[in-house]
Amino acid sequence: MEENLAKKRLYSAVQPTNALTIGNYIGAINNMVALQDEYDCTYAIANMHAITVRQQPAQLRANTLSVLALYLACGLDPQKCTLYVQSHVPCHAELAWVLNTFTYVGEMERMTQFKDKSAKHADNINMGLMDYPVLMAADILLYKADVVPVGIDQRQHLEICRDIAVRFNNVYSPTFTVPEGIYPKVGAKIADLSDPAKKMSKSSENPAGTIFMNDGRDAIIKKFRRAVTDSDGEVRYDPENKPGISNLLSIYTVFTGKSVAQAEAEFAGRGYGDFKSAVAETVADALAPVQAEQARLLADKGYLDSVLAEGARRAYKTASSTLAKVYRKIGFYQL
Ligand code: AQP
């Protein structure tokens, strides 16, 4: 499969920082799968982003294959989309360097994720952590993406990517496609089960509030049973006043395909205990076949490597042509 000129281009990525969560699934992967027929899709495993916080090398390597196997197990089809590892395409680092010269230090200091991660990793506030949005802009712009499906937590980074692209285009001539974000209608920000004010995150210090895609049935049921709710007893979608219940409703509707109204009607007059059990059973049932398929794929390293080799080849073709254009425009002497 080569670049499809008839379709709009789409780019998204996930960091192999840990086992993924149902937040990553609902906010990103679910949409990535749904959109793979409609768009010309490129999906990365963002290991260069991952090292902005300290990683165990062996674990990072293992997580990289794990994310690929999960992509495939969730239904991404390597015949339809390009699946690759970010560090296999050197153009990302090269374009990020150029884009750094179009980005202001003050803008990066204001990024919410930089502030959050600086607080969390106070002993390692490295330049990469601050430069994360510029590398992300390079990722997206290299593939001329028209659209980027991400969770709401990435909105600020996507806005800065658009600003950098417009800035560059204004200084030279139109070079970059300015991308639009696609945010899920439900579940754009799945909350931590034990603290609904916090985003569910794969590197949270409190795994009790996080459902990992590889959690077993017992762990899933236990975590949902302990999910923080409220005292009014009504299963109703009201994110402001009932964040815990609304979060569970988002999770339930995504995994069942039911609407919020249908789910509210289903649990009208029933207690939170019933509702939590139903959400837990639904998620456990949905994840079991994905986990089995992921395990089967992980046992076939030869196949996974072949998907990544083909993905890197295709990704490099598009990325290197964008980079060559940028180098020409900015006046880098070419041989
Ligand atoms: N809780 C969430 N709800 C909805 N979407 C989410 N995403 C992450 N958490 C949620 C979306 O998942 C995609 C991949 O995220 P990432 O790997 O780039 O890292 P992240 O956004 O920083 O997610 P994590 O889980 O919190 O990772 P760590 O702990 O490594 O920082 C993105 O599209 C994101 O929006």
Side-chain angles (χ1 to χ4, degrees), residues 30 69 77 88 117 122 154 199 209 299 324:
N30 193 28
D77 179 350
H88 292 170
K117 292 211 167 168
Q154 293 296 334
K199 172 181 103 145

Side-chain angles (χ1 to χ4, degrees), residues 104-231:
Y104 301 107
V105 172
E107 291 177 310
M108 296 297 97
E109 283 171 335
R110 282 197 295 276
M111 291 288 115
T112 310
Q113 181 174 293
F114 173 62
K115 289 194 241 171
D116 289 351
K117 292 211 167 168
S118 298
K120 208 161 145 191
H121 305 278
D123 56 335
N124 181 23
I125 306 175
N126 62 71
M127 285 305 296
L129 197 59
M130 191 172 175
D131 208 28
Y132 185 110
V134 180
L135 180 59
M136 180 167 155
D139 301 341
I140 295 166
L141 300 178
L142 277 174
Y143 299 93
K144 305 170 218 160
D146 298 289
V147 293
V148 183
V150 278
I152 215 81
D153 60 314
Q154 293 296 334
R155 187 194 284 272
Q156 202 181 28
H157 290 168
L158 193 66
E159 286 306 317
I160 207 76
C161 167
R162 289 166 53 87
D163 290 348
I164 294 170
V166 169
R167 217 170 271 165
F168 188 99
N169 288 350
N170 287 343
V171 172
Y172 300 96
S173 50
T175 305
F176 294 125
T177 304
V178 181
E180 303 282 342
I182 300 186
Y183 305 98
K185 286 189 191 68
V186 180
K189 185 177 174 187
I190 295 298
D192 188 294
L193 300 186
S194 43
D195 180 358
K198 263 178 44 193
K199 172 181 103 145
M200 185 182 284
S201 181
K202 58 177 119 69
S203 51
S204 158
E205 296 102 56
N206 176 17
T210 306
I211 306 286
F212 292 99
M213 292 297 285
N214 61 7
D215 272 345
R217 177 172 288 271
D218 290 349
I220 293 173
I221 289 172
K222 202 161 155 193
K223 289 179 188 179
F224 275 112
R225 208 171 273 152
R226 290 192 188 150
V228 168
T229 52
D230 53 59
S231 54

